[in-house]
Amino acid sequence: MASPAPLNALNASLLLDFDGTLVDLVDRPDAVVADLPLKALLDQLAGTFEGRIALVSGRSIAQLTGFFGQPLIEFGCVGSHGAEVQVGGLRAAPVRPAALSVVEQAMMSAFGKTEGIIVETKSHGVALHYRLVPAAESKVRELAARLAQSSGLMIQEGKMMIELRASGHDKGTGIVDLMAHAPFLGTRPIFIGDDLTDEAGFAAVERMGGFGILVGTERPTAARYRLDNVAAVRSWLGEAT
């Protein structure tokens, strides 16, 4: 896969995954830091793109806000795998499914005392992270499959993580919703992401006349281009005109 050409903001919108794209993946999902150089870069890009910049994440908008330490009103946001969409400070989100509380309790009962396995509660999902205990993958997957069947929730795959969430939305649907609002409306979307959860977003931007950029090792993907890692993403973004 080729590297993308230099980034040009003319009639384009910039859509950015967070974990593994703007910040390196870490062992614990709550240990992520949105550092000062990243904040400065995003502020710069918001000016270059005249506000046509958005974070597109499996994290909730509340989680992203916490990492940055301030409301993200200067950016668009697609959170919780497309369940939440925020533009101009106005947020649309469905009611949290009651089944998620049941699933969370079951996950805590099964793994809450297991060293290295982390149960992450989100606004519209519950995730099991097993990066610190890769040998537990089969048990994690077995539990997730049982809970999905009993709860009616869907399984969302990720890097050393498996999440249960409501169906009917993904990063692709969230991007489509976002792009229907000013200042994104009528522009060409460019989406950068690293994970399997980003594939729906890559496919969506292609359909809308834009393109996706995969971060990391080359693999089968709907993205058109590739960058090696977070450092390469930040360097490429920093040269936008």
Side-chain angles (χ1 to χ4, degrees), residues 9-232:
L10 183 63
N11 197 40
S13 291
L14 182 61
L15 315 176
L16 303 164
D17 174 47
F18 184 66
D19 296 278
T21 297
L22 293 177
V23 296
D24 287 309
L25 295 174
V26 294
D27 291 336
R28 299 189 63 88
D30 58 352
V32 168
V33 175
D35 54 83
L36 290 177
L38 174 60
K39 294 177 182 179
L41 174 61
L42 292 179
D43 286 340
Q44 172 189 323
L45 290 166
T48 301
F49 280 80
E50 298 180 340
R52 301 185 306 275
I53 175 174
L55 300 178
V56 180
S57 180
R59 303 269 196 174
S60 69
I61 293 176
Q63 286 177 304
L64 293 172
T65 299
F67 291 135
F68 282 89
Q70 61 188 57
L72 302 175
I73 56 174
E74 68 269 39
F75 311 129
C77 280
V78 175
S80 300
H81 300 289
E84 302 175 286
V85 178
Q86 177 176 292
V87 185
L90 300 176
R91 186 185 307 180
V95 175
R96 189 178 196 266
L100 285 173
S101 296
V102 177
V103 165
E104 179 186 358
Q105 291 176 0
M107 288 181 175
M108 289 300 299
S109 295
F111 292 113
K113 296 182 179 180
T114 302
E115 184 70 25
I117 296 183
I118 300 163
V119 180
E120 181 189 15
T121 302
K122 302 183 179 183
S123 297
H124 296 277
V126 186
L128 282 169
H129 296 261
Y130 55 92
R131 184 179 302 276
L132 293 169
V133 193
E137 179 177 2
S138 61
K139 292 183 178 179
V140 168
R141 287 184 174 277
E142 180 182 338
L143 176 64
R146 290 203 314 269
L147 292 176
Q149 185 174 19
S150 63
S151 68
L153 299 170
M154 69 170 285
I155 288 176
Q156 176 69 66
E157 299 277 355
K159 290 181 176 178
M160 306 296 286
M161 178 277 294
I162 193 161
E163 179 177 343
L164 267 68
R165 63 176 181 83
S167 60
H169 54 81
D170 54 36
K171 289 187 178 181
T173 64
I175 286 173
V176 170
D177 289 346
L178 178 84
M179 294 297 297
H181 296 84
F184 303 94
L185 181 64
T187 63
R188 177 174 53 99
I190 300 167
F191 176 45
I192 312 177
D194 70 304
D195 207 343
L196 294 174
T197 63
D198 298 310
E199 288 299 325
F202 295 148
V205 296
E206 279 286 343
R207 293 193 298 269
M208 302 175 76
F211 59 85
I213 301 171
L214 175 67
V215 181
T217 305
E218 187 167 341
R219 58 169 171 78
T221 179
R224 197 184 306 180
Y225 303 106
R226 189 182 70 84
L227 291 166
D228 283 337
N229 49 38
V230 169

